[in-house]
Amino acid sequence: EDHNTLEFSVDLQADKKQIARALKQMYGIEALKVNTLIRPDGRKKAYIRLRPKHDALDVANKIGIL
């Protein structure tokens, strides 16, 4: 919330550009920055920082995360 960031589980093969492109195609939202990590259990997570014109809480409500 403080950092205007959303967190998603993504495919292991997805790179940062693909994740940002998918976010824009699916939800019409532009990412400012994408960080990824592979968890010890083998799943990949993406932390997507949104541009200031998008609010993470509003976006989460819109796409049904909250």
Side-chain angles (χ1 to χ4, degrees):
E1 180 177 326
D2 292 339
H3 300 288
N4 206 29
T5 302
L6 294 174
E7 178 183 322
F8 290 93
S9 291
V10 298
D11 188 85
L12 274 173
Q13 303 300 319
D15 64 26
K16 293 178 182 186
K17 289 181 181 180
Q18 290 172 329
I19 294 166
R21 202 174 14 224
L23 187 71
K24 186 167 184 171
Q25 282 180 340
M26 293 174 70
Y27 305 115
I29 300 161
E30 294 180 40
L32 180 64
K33 187 175 184 179
V34 177
N35 289 324
T36 59
L37 65 87
I38 298 176
R39 296 170 31 122
D41 64 4
R43 291 188 292 173
K44 188 172 190 177
K45 291 171 75 174
Y47 295 92
I48 302 167
R49 186 157 186 196
L50 304 178
R51 294 205 179 271
K53 65 181 177 179
H54 301 291
D55 181 55
L57 285 176
D58 291 340
V59 172
N61 284 326
K62 176 182 165 187
I63 63 178
I65 293 175
L66 293 178

